[in-house]
């Protein structure tokens, strides 16, 4: 527990002393407040948007959830850039412990932020249990982003480009609601397809747990593959 | 304390071995120097020994135990000073030391460590504001902040001015006097000559020569004496073994004309070139 406390304290110092990371960390509450107050104004101004509340909810939740993935990936990229990763590898604790603790925290905070967005913003509430399950799925985007960026990006500039690309990819399945049902399945190769469809279906009070199950397994497999790649490429194991 | 026997290592995908059957022993309280040109396998050998690289052939042991049999507890026994600085740039020097120390059971006073290398006034400065030399000094003290028995130092004086280089060398000698076993890689032959009990010259992954600096200097040197006089620009060379009977030398001594007088033993730079030059 003492080591975990040391790691948390150290990471907080690193985040607070970096303006970009700090702003990304503070962005989720700002987004929740912004969506809570702006969505009613938007719907009032353009009543057609009432039909698209759930789409707005999907977008708002994913944008809130990915911030912690970004912060974690940049902490790891910093360690790669500054060669600290070599020192971590020769500590008497597993270097993987450093990474797993961060991924776990990013998942928890992302889930909490997504849950807060779904339940507090009043954009599109899918039900209490569904909100929790949705928050878990959204939370799983954080380790996915962290591992993808920190494994493949060589530096922070590349990392920022990867982040924008991954953000776009994760949002892409929203398009599945605007195309015909045959084309819609094309987007199912992306994990967020299952998250968004779970959201939409449960918002419309239809049985939706198969979407949750597939989404959960999809993220689970993806995170495992990325962890394997991370170990191989970053830790050389 | 450190033992290798017929050690081979090949990077995945590489055509040739980077370490090619090297064998050496470093006893307790000894300083051992791995010398050689860039790419000769010095750092790779170190990385195999502190388990950053796996998949070697032959034997590599620390304290009588094969590297593959060591777990994470190995890192409490050894300290590593890397060639390049590696610190959290947003943390201060003191925070960096304290953070890494917190993972060990034992530790020296971080402020005392900073004092040893003249960084006490910069203890609360962020490492991002440090010069390369300051970062290297911090690297160095971090390597033994947990008081390990064995130290691996990769180019410890790289990027340091002569005064700071002197301070570090004195600390290394002091650590040796405390009984620490130290393996150094360096390009600075003067440092190796001054610090090491034994040196191994590596080239293309093989040890070309291994002995004490003193023995090597004698082996590669000439048994001659070079005398320069005020009267001539050309040196006069005498055979050391014939010196006591050499009348011309004795006359020269009595003439008071001698400007300089040097025996011609080799230095490690000469031996480096002689043993590691590619044919």
């Amino acid at each position: 527990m003492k080591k975990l406390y040391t790691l948390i304290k150290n990471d907080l110092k690193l985040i607070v002393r970096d303006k970009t990371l700090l702003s990304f960390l503070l962005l989720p509450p700002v987004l929740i407040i912004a969506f809570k107050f702006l969505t009613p104004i938007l719907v009032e101004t353009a009543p057609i948007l009432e039909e698209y509340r759930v789409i707005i909810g999907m977008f708002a939740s994913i944008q809130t959830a990915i911030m912690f993935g970004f912060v974690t990936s940049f902490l790891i990229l910093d360690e790669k850039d500054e060669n600290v990763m070599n020192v971590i590898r020769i500590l008497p604790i597993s270097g993987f412990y450093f990474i797993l603790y961060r991924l776990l925290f990013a998942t928890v905070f992302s889930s909490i932020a997504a849950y807060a967005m779904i339940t507090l913003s009043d954009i599109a509430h899918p039900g209490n249990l569904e909100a929790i399950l949705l928050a878990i799925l959204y939370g799983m985007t954080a380790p996915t982003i962290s591992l993808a960026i920190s494994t493949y990006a060589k530096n922070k500039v590349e990392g920022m480009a990867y982040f924008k690309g991954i953000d776009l990819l994760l949002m892409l399945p929203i398009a599945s609601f605007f195309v015909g049902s045959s084309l819609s399945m094309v987007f199912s190769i992306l994990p967020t397809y299952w998250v968004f469809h779970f959201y939409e279906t449960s918002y419309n009070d239809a049985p939706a747990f198969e979407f949750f199950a597939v989404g959960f397994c999809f993220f689970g497999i993806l995170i495992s593959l990325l962890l394997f790649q991370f170990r191989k490429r970053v830790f050389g194991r | 304390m450190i033992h290798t026997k017929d050690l081979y290592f090949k990077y995945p995908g590489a055509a040739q071995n980077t370490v090619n059957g090297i064998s050496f022993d470093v006893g307790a309280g000894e300083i051992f120097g791995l010398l050689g040109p860039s790419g000769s396998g010095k750092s790779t050998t170190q990385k195999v020994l502190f388990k950053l690289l796996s998949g070697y052939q032959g034997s590599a042991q620390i304290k009588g135990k094969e590297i593959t049999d060591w777990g994470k507890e190995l890192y409490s026994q050894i300290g590593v000073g890397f060639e390049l600085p590696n610190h959290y740039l947003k943390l201060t020097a003191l925070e960096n030391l304290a953070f890494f120390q917190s993972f060990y059971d034992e530790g020296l006073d971080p402020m005392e460590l900073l004092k040893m290398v003249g960084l006490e006034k910069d203890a609360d400065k962020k490492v991002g504001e440090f010069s390369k030399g300051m970062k290297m000094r911090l690297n160095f003290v971090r390597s033994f902040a947990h008081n390990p028995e064995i130290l691996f130092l990769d180019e410890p004086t790289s990027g340091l001015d002569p005064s700071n280089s002197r301070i570090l060398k004195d600390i290394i000698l002091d650590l040796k006097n405390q009984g620490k076993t130290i393996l150094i890689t360096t390009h600075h032959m003067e440092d190796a000559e001054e610090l090491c009990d034994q040196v191994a010259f590596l080239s293309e992954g093989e040890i070309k020569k291994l002995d004490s600096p003193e023995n090597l200097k004698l082996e590669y040197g000439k048994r001659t004496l070079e005398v320069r006089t005020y009267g001539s620009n050309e040196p006069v060379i005498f055979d050391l073994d014939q010196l006591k009977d050499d009348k011309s030398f004795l006359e020269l001594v009595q003439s008071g004309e001698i400007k300089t007088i040097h025996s011609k033993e080799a230095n490690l730079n000469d031996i480096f070139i002689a043993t590691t030059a590619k044919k």
Side-chain angles (χ1 to χ4, degrees):
Chain A
M1 275 313 275
K2 197 183 153 204
K3 281 173 186 160
L4 188 63
Y5 170 73
T6 311
L7 287 173
I8 295 170
K9 201 171 84 174
N10 196 54
D11 278 355
L12 279 176
K13 274 184 199 166
L14 294 172
I15 293 167
V16 168
R17 291 177 192 179
D18 185 309
K19 282 178 191 162
T20 313
L21 295 187
L22 184 63
S23 58
F24 272 78
L25 192 73
L26 297 177
L27 213 50
V30 174
L31 282 175
I32 292 167
I33 294 165
F35 273 98
K36 183 173 176 65
F37 292 102
L38 291 179
T39 310
I41 298 168
L42 214 63
V43 171
E44 208 179 302
T45 317
I48 193 168
L49 288 176
E50 182 62 38
E51 287 176 40
Y52 297 101
R53 272 185 167 274
V54 72
I55 304 280
I56 298 170
M58 289 170 198
F59 173 76
S61 306
I62 191 89
Q63 289 308 310
T64 311
I66 59 174
M67 298 306 168
F68 296 98
F70 174 85
V71 171
T72 312
S73 64
F74 268 59
L75 282 177
I76 302 170
L77 272 185
D78 256 340
E79 284 166 347
K80 272 170 80 176
D81 275 359
E82 293 157 12
N83 296 313
V84 178
M85 210 48 100
N86 277 339
V87 189
I88 291 172
R89 289 175 65 189
I90 55 148
L91 288 176
I93 66 159
S94 164
F96 219 52
Y97 185 83
F98 264 70
I99 307 303
L100 283 180
Y101 123 80
R102 282 179 181 155
L103 296 182
L104 199 68
F105 267 68
T107 310
V108 170
F109 282 112
S110 280
S111 295
I112 293 170
Y115 182 78
M117 180 60 95
I118 295 162
T119 55
L120 300 179
S121 67
D122 296 325
I123 305 172
H125 200 302
N128 290 332
L129 175 65
E130 286 82 356
I132 292 170
L133 295 178
L134 256 180
I136 292 171
L137 290 181
Y138 274 117
M140 291 172 93
T141 59
T144 309
I145 292 170
S146 300
L147 287 167
I149 295 176
S150 56
T151 303
Y152 296 104
K154 289 190 185 77
N155 49 51
K156 287 201 274 188
V157 179
E158 257 191 45
M160 190 57 100
Y162 273 63
F163 176 66
K164 286 175 184 164
I166 293 168
D167 186 17
L168 260 174
L169 270 180
L170 291 177
M171 283 195 303
L172 204 58
I174 290 181
S176 68
F177 296 100
F178 299 96
V179 294
S181 57
S182 54
L183 261 179
S184 165
M185 278 307 283
V186 171
F187 297 98
S188 66
I189 55 163
L190 293 165
T192 41
Y193 171 88
W194 304 95
V195 184
F196 295 152
H197 279 265
F198 177 55
Y199 199 164
E200 195 258 352
T201 316
S202 54
Y203 181 67
N204 291 318
D205 291 329
F209 288 101
E210 67 271 25
F211 287 112
F212 171 78
V214 177
F216 188 83
C217 293
F218 198 138
F219 270 119
I221 294 167
L222 191 59
I223 291 166
S224 305
L225 289 172
L226 286 167
L227 267 174
F228 175 75
Q229 282 296 311
F230 183 89
R231 276 180 85 108
K232 201 171 145 193
R233 285 170 171 259
V234 181
F235 282 135
R237 298 268 156 92
Chain B
M1 294 294 264
I2 304 172
H3 166 81
T4 70
K5 177 83 179 156
D6 299 329
L7 181 67
Y8 291 86
F9 181 81
K10 189 165 140 184
Y11 284 100
Q16 288 177 322
N17 288 324
T18 303
V19 177
N20 222 349
I22 66 172
S23 307
F24 63 85
D25 283 287
V26 190
E30 268 185 20
I31 302 182
F32 187 91
L34 276 178
L35 317 177
S38 302
S40 58
K42 307 184 298 286
S43 298
T44 303
T45 305
Q46 280 213 4
K47 283 178 185 164
V48 168
L49 285 168
F50 51 74
K51 226 183 164 181
L52 272 194
L53 293 173
S54 54
Y56 65 87
Q57 287 180 301
S59 178
Q61 296 179 0
I62 298 282
K63 293 179 81 176
K65 190 169 160 184
E66 198 63 32
I67 295 293
T68 44
D69 295 334
W70 280 99
K72 277 282 176 184
E73 71 281 5
L74 171 69
Y75 300 119
S76 298
Q77 307 288 322
I78 66 167
V80 179
F82 289 95
E83 183 182 2
L84 292 172
N86 31 29
H87 311 287
Y88 285 108
L89 301 185
K90 292 182 205 102
L91 299 186
T92 67
L94 203 55
E95 284 171 340
N96 263 287
L97 277 182
F99 174 69
F100 288 112
Q101 263 191 337
S102 66
F103 297 99
Y104 298 93
D105 297 329
E106 210 181 324
L108 306 171
D109 178 4
M111 205 59 204
E112 281 302 314
L113 290 167
L114 292 175
K115 245 182 223 171
M116 284 167 85
V117 288
L119 287 175
E120 71 274 22
K121 284 181 189 156
D122 303 294
D124 296 318
K125 198 191 258 186
K126 283 184 194 162
V127 175
E129 296 165 30
F130 275 23
S131 67
K132 193 199 169 195
M134 291 162 85
K135 286 177 190 166
M136 284 308 292
R137 282 184 273 159
L138 186 58
N139 248 21
F140 175 69
V141 288
R142 191 189 54 213
S143 68
F144 60 91
H146 56 290
N147 203 16
E149 278 184 76
I150 301 168
L151 265 177
F152 292 92
L153 302 173
D154 198 356
E155 303 285 351
T157 55
S158 162
L160 296 182
D161 60 58
S163 335
N164 281 311
S165 177
R166 179 72 266 153
I167 292 170
L168 253 65
K169 283 189 273 185
D170 287 341
I171 298 171
I172 292 172
L173 289 170
D174 191 42
L175 289 168
K176 172 189 157 72
N177 290 334
Q178 290 170 31
K180 311 280 187 202
T181 306
I182 302 169
L183 194 146
I184 289 181
T185 61
T186 182
H187 282 109
H188 298 279
M189 297 301 118
E190 298 79 10
D191 293 353
E193 197 169 331
E194 186 183 342
L195 298 172
C196 299
D197 299 299
Q198 281 193 95
V199 290
F201 285 93
L202 256 79
S203 179
E204 295 168 328
E206 291 173 17
I207 291 183
K208 301 291 183 186
K209 203 78 202 175
L210 192 160
D211 210 332
S212 69
E214 210 49 51
N215 287 346
L216 286 170
K217 277 157 65 181
L218 288 173
E219 185 186 334
Y220 282 81
K222 294 175 189 155
R223 297 230 6 110
T224 55
L225 194 73
E226 182 186 277
V227 181
R228 286 184 181 273
T229 59
Y230 289 107
S232 168
N233 285 332
E234 289 300 309
V236 191
I237 310 292
F238 296 97
D239 186 337
L240 260 184
D241 298 320
Q242 308 295 324
L243 212 54
K244 68 180 174 62
D245 302 320
D246 193 324
K247 282 184 183 163
S248 59
F249 173 72
L250 296 172
E251 280 168 15
L252 198 60
V253 171
Q254 285 167 353
S255 70
E257 278 294 297
I258 293 176
K259 191 159 68 178
T260 61
I261 186 163
H262 294 288
S263 56
K264 295 303 286 178
E265 70 267 29
N267 58 39
L268 290 191
N269 275 315
D270 301 327
I271 304 165
F272 181 96
I273 293 164
T275 54
T276 65
K278 287 181 185 171
K279 296 194 174 71

